[in-house]
Amino acid sequence: MEQYEPDRLSPARAAAVRRGLRNGRAALSRRSLLRASTGGALAFGGIGALSACGIPPAGNTRGGVPAEDHSEKEKRVAFSNWTEYMDVDESGREHPTLDAFTERTGIEVTYTEDINDNTEFFGKIKPQLAAGQDTGRDIVVLTDWLAARLIRLGWVQKLDPSHLPHAYANLSTQFRSPDWDPGRAYSYPWQGIAAVIAYNRKALDGVEVKTLSDLLDNPKLKGRVGLLTEMRDTMGLALLDMEKDPEKFTADDYDAGIARLQKAVDKGQVRRFTGNDYTSALSKGDFAACVAWAGDIVQLRADNPDIGFLIPDSGYMMSSDNLLVPNKARHKTNAERLIDYYFEPRPAAELAAYINFVCPVDGVRDELAKIDEDAADDPLILPDKDMQAKSRAFRSLSAEEETAFEAKFAKLTGA
C-alpha cells in the first residue's frame, strides 16, 4: 500500500493546478462543465500538504479498514457530490431520485454539493483520512486520478458485492475494470466524461474533418482549431491519432505526441488551448473544430444546429467520476444500497435525462426514452457497443511521470 508523502508541488504540478482552476473544468459551475481533472497534480502532494496542517503522513496506518457500521440503527447516509450533478424538480430544491430512494428504503440522505474541484476537496478530507478519522461522509464522488490515489493510500473501503447486485449486473463494459481499480472492488462510476472532436458546420464551410490529424494539418483550418488544457484528454487523443494506446504508452510515445502537437502550434494551426470556454468560441465559429467534452456538445446542439461531433476511427478518451466510501464512514451498508440504487434502470435514466453525461449503466434506454426520446438516441449519453469499443482511458501515472509529463505539456500550452 502506498504511503502519503506530504511533498510540496513541483513547478510542473503547480502549473497544472493553475491551468485547471483558471481554464479547466474546475473553473466552472454548470453540471456539464464541472470536472476538475487537472492532471492529478494535487493527488501527489497538494496545496497545504499534510505537514503544513500539523498532520503527519499516513506512515504504517493500514487503510481500507471500516469503522463499526451503524447502518441498521441509523437510517441515514451522507453523500458529497459536485454542484448540479443530481436531478432536481421544477422548484430546484428537491432531488426526485434521492426522494424516491428514501421513500423506498427509509434511509434519509444528507446530500451536500460541497465538491467544487478535486484538488480543493482533497484538501478538505486528507487530514481526517490520514489521521484515521471519520470525514463525516459516507459517499464521495471523485474523478479517476484522485479516486486512484485514495485507493492506493488505503483511504477508502472495499465494497461488499452482496450489497451491489444491480451495480455488478448493469455496469457498462467500458467502465468495468480501470487499471486503478480492477474489477471495481472499491468504486463504481457515477458518470462518464467523454472527450471527442466537435465542430461548427457553418465555420467548416465544406472542409472535411474525420480525424485529429485533419485539425492539426489542414491549412484551411489554420488558426481555427482548439485543444483542451486538460492533459489527459488532449494527449490521449493525440496518442490515439498516432496509433498509440493511451492505456499502455511509453515515455517515448508521449514525447512523440508532444512533438506532434508542438508542430501544429508552431505553424499557427492551433488558435489556443482552452478550458470550457471553448464552448463560446465553437458556437460563434471562432473555432471551426476542437477537442470537446460530450456533455457540453449535448447542450450546445440544443441551441445551435450547426454544432456536431465525430468519433475518430482511432478512438476517443473516456474518464469517469466515481462513487467511493471513505474509511471510517459510519453507514457503509446504507452507502452501498444508495450506490446500487443508481444502477437500476429507472433512477439511472432519470439522472441521465437531467445531467446529460455518459451513463455508465446498461439497460436504461427504454426507461430513458419514456422521459426523453432524444436523450435515449444520443450516443453521447448512451454510447452503443461500437462507440463503447472505441473508448480509451489514460493510464495511471507514477509521481515521477506526472511531474515530467505535466512539465512538457505546460511548455506546449504556454502555461
Side-chain angles (χ1 to χ4, degrees), residues 13-162:
R13 293 180 194 170
V17 174
R18 289 193 296 270
R19 284 201 308 276
L21 295 176
R22 182 175 66 246
N23 297 318
R25 285 176 279 189
L28 298 122
S29 60
R30 291 302 300 169
R31 63 180 180 274
S32 67
L33 322 179
L34 285 174
R35 306 292 65 79
S37 53
T38 57
L42 259 287
F44 296 99
I47 298 170
L50 291 186
S51 58
C53 301
I55 304 295
N60 294 323
T61 301
R62 296 190 62 82
V65 180
E68 180 181 354
D69 192 348
H70 298 268
S71 293
E72 186 173 350
K73 293 182 179 179
E74 299 176 2
K75 296 295 184 181
R76 58 180 180 268
V77 61
F79 185 179
S80 282
N81 203 350
W82 298 74
T83 305
E84 298 189 57
Y85 214 14
M86 179 67 73
D87 57 304
V88 297
D89 64 5
E90 292 184 359
S91 73
R93 294 188 296 270
E94 304 296 329
H95 303 291
T97 56
L98 289 176
D99 293 342
F101 173 79
T102 297
E103 184 176 355
R104 181 200 298 182
T105 64
I107 298 171
E108 294 287 339
V109 181
T110 301
Y111 183 73
T112 307
E113 295 181 338
D114 61 345
I115 305 179
N116 295 309
D117 64 76
N118 286 291
T119 58
E120 178 187 54
F121 189 70
F122 183 58
K124 288 182 182 179
I125 63 176
K126 67 185 178 185
Q128 295 98 317
L129 291 173
Q133 298 171 354
D134 181 12
T135 66
R137 301 166 175 88
D138 300 304
I139 302 177
V140 296
V141 179
L142 303 175
T143 306
D144 290 345
W145 65 264
L146 185 53
R149 179 65 172 178
L150 265 62
I151 291 171
R152 291 197 302 270
L153 286 166
W155 286 358
V156 294
Q157 299 185 44
K158 193 171 185 178
L159 301 174
D160 185 340
S162 69

Side-chain angles (χ1 to χ4, degrees), residues 399-415:
E400 292 77 13
E401 288 177 322
E402 187 76 42
T403 299
F405 292 174
E406 283 289 1
K408 293 171 182 178
F409 191 70
K411 183 178 179 181
L412 171 71
T413 63

Side-chain angles (χ1 to χ4, degrees), residues 370-405:
K370 296 175 185 177
I371 304 168
D372 186 335
E373 290 186 5
D374 289 339
D377 291 332
D378 194 332
L380 295 178
I381 297 174
L382 295 183
D384 59 24
K385 290 184 178 180
D386 289 341
M387 185 168 169
Q388 288 185 24
K390 291 183 178 181
S391 74
R392 295 291 183 271
F394 201 91
R395 71 169 173 84
S396 297
L397 301 178
S398 68
E400 292 77 13
E401 288 177 322
E402 187 76 42
T403 299
F405 292 174

Side-chain angles (χ1 to χ4, degrees), residues 148-353:
R149 179 65 172 178
L150 265 62
I151 291 171
R152 291 197 302 270
L153 286 166
W155 286 358
V156 294
Q157 299 185 44
K158 193 171 185 178
L159 301 174
D160 185 340
S162 69
H163 297 158
L164 298 160
H166 297 98
Y168 180 81
N170 296 334
L171 177 59
S172 295
T173 302
Q174 62 184 328
F175 296 104
R176 278 198 174 272
S177 195
D179 67 352
W180 47 269
D181 187 16
R184 291 288 182 181
Y186 293 90
S187 69
Y188 269 89
W190 176 244
Q191 297 292 295
I193 308 163
V196 300
I197 294 176
Y199 58 84
N200 183 314
R201 192 175 290 103
K202 184 176 181 180
L204 282 178
D205 193 25
V207 175
E208 186 175 54
V209 171
K210 291 186 176 180
T211 68
L212 185 66
S213 287
D214 292 331
L215 274 64
L216 300 179
D217 297 332
N218 192 325
K220 294 182 179 179
L221 299 180
K222 183 176 180 179
R224 298 192 294 140
V225 169
L227 300 177
L228 291 173
T229 56
E230 301 294 348
M231 184 266 283
R232 283 166 170 77
D233 292 330
T234 294
M235 289 303 301
L237 284 170
L239 289 166
L240 286 169
D241 191 65
M242 298 170 63
E243 299 184 351
K244 302 295 183 180
D245 188 346
E247 298 174 356
K248 300 177 182 178
F249 70 91
T250 66
D252 286 343
D253 295 334
Y254 186 89
D255 288 346
I258 288 286
R260 174 82 173 91
L261 296 180
Q262 188 68 60
K263 182 179 178 181
V265 170
D266 291 344
K267 67 182 181 182
Q269 191 75 7
V270 178
R271 187 182 186 95
R272 59 192 174 99
F273 289 81
T274 73
N276 199 247
D277 48 326
Y278 73 83
T279 56
S280 176
L282 182 63
S283 293
K284 292 189 298 184
D286 293 339
F287 285 164
C290 63
V291 177
W293 291 303
D296 295 339
I297 300 169
V298 172
Q299 297 181 32
L300 289 173
R301 288 186 305 172
D303 298 323
N304 186 342
D306 288 324
I307 302 301
F309 76 97
L310 65 94
I311 304 297
D313 288 341
S314 58
Y316 66 100
M317 296 306 296
M318 179 70 77
S319 59
S320 60
D321 289 326
N322 306 278
L323 300 150
L324 304 104
V325 178
N327 279 1
K328 300 297 182 179
R330 288 177 61 88
H331 311 106
K332 179 173 181 282
T333 298
N334 291 344
E336 290 166 336
R337 292 184 68 181
L338 184 57
I339 292 170
D340 193 60
Y341 167 76
Y342 277 104
F343 280 82
E344 296 179 24
R346 180 64 185 181
E350 291 181 17
L351 184 64

